[in-house]
């Protein structure tokens, strides 16, 4: 169990540019979440995958945001035409598949990608 | 809609003393989970303790325990024998026990531990 990893850890971009973040969940976890955390706030849910299927998207996820998990393993979150309001920490979390752990309700978080839009 | 409220933006505790962090939530669900996560500066969020709503017994994990009051919709965290390494942001989180199990977080409490 190597934990959830995210890449890059930090990203600085200019307004209007596109950015893509990657999340590698714990290998045996089939559920994956993306959250956004702004300064002084708790994380807010963005989207949820079970295997490769995106089953829920928050209304926070505007049409400039897209997330994928093509083979049910790693996931990417892309933001197009970034705005200064997109500056935040983007957190990824994964959760075990049912029947594999006593705490399949618990999410395990990665270190996050801090995005700064200039 | 479910909400989670942490009314203490910041708390301080002397090393070796006990501190209690407060969390209240609102839900119409009867079955759900509650969590406390710790987020040290520039480090990832880690689970401190979890509580299943259908269990009346309060969860404990070493120096960490909760006071779960289901009727009052209250879920406080008690840290005993506080250590310098306990200094962090603490987030209370809620998830339904069905569907996506997505978390709803409070705004966090910054805990300072004084030597």
């Amino acid at each position: 169990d190597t934990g959830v990893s995210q890449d890059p850890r930090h990203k600085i971009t200019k307004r209007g540019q596109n950015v893509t973040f990657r999340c590698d969940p714990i290998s045996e976890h089939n559920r994956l979440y993306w959250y956004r955390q702004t300064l002084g706030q708790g994380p807010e849910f963005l989207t949820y995958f079970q295997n490769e299927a995106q089953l829920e998207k928050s209304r926070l996820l505007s049409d400039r945001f897209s997330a994928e998990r093509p083979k049910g393993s790693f996931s990417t979150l892309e933001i197009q035409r970034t705005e200064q309001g997109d500056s935040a920490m983007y957190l990824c979390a994964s959760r075990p598949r049912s029947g594999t752990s006593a705490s399949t309700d618990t999410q395990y978080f990665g270190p996050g990608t801090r995005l700064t839009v200039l | 809609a479910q909400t989670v409220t942490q009314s203490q933006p910041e708390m301080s505790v002397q090393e070796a003393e006990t501190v209690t962090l407060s969390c209240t939530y609102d839900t119409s669900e009867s079955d759900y989970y509650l969590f406390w996560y710790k987020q040290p500066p520039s480090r990832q969020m880690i689970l401190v303790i979890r509580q299943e709503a259908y269990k009346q017994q309060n969860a404990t994990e070493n120096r960490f325990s909760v006071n779960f009051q289901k009727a009052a919709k209250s879920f406080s965290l008690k840290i005993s024998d506080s250590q310098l390494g306990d200094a962090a942001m603490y987030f209370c989180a809620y998830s339904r026990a069905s569907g996506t199990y997505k978390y709803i977080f409070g705004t966090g409490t910054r805990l300072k531990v004084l030597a």
Side-chain angles (χ1 to χ4, degrees), chain A residues 33 35 56 105 107 109, chain B residues 37 44 50 100-103:
Chain A
Y33 302 79
Y35 292 86
E56 185 170 342
D105 49 275
Q107 296 178 29
F109 284 83
Chain B
Y37 277 84
Q44 65 201 81
R50 60 184 280 280
T100 65
Y101 289 71
K102 65 184 177 186
Y103 284 175

Side-chain angles (χ1 to χ4, degrees), chain A residues 4 9 33 35 37 40-45 48 55-56 91 95 102-103 105-111, chain B residues 33 35 37 39 42-47 50 52 89 91 95 99-108:
Chain A
V4 179
R9 295 290 305 277
Y33 302 79
Y35 292 86
Q37 184 179 19
Q41 299 297 315
E44 295 176 292
F45 170 77
Y48 165 71
L55 298 184
E56 185 170 342
L91 297 171
R95 182 165 69 90
S103 301
D105 49 275
T106 299
Q107 296 178 29
Y108 297 81
F109 284 83
Chain B
Y33 297 94
F35 307 84
Y37 277 84
Q39 188 177 41
S42 301
R43 292 180 61 186
Q44 65 201 81
M45 201 172 301
I46 57 175
L47 178 70
R50 60 184 280 280
E52 297 165 69
M89 282 292 290
F91 290 98
S95 81
T100 65
Y101 289 71
K102 65 184 177 186
Y103 284 175
I104 298 170
F105 285 90
T107 52

Side-chain angles (χ1 to χ4, degrees), chain A residues 88-100:
Chain A
M89 175 76 84
Y90 290 84
L91 297 171
C92 177
S94 67
R95 182 165 69 90
R97 64 181 68 244
S98 300
T100 57

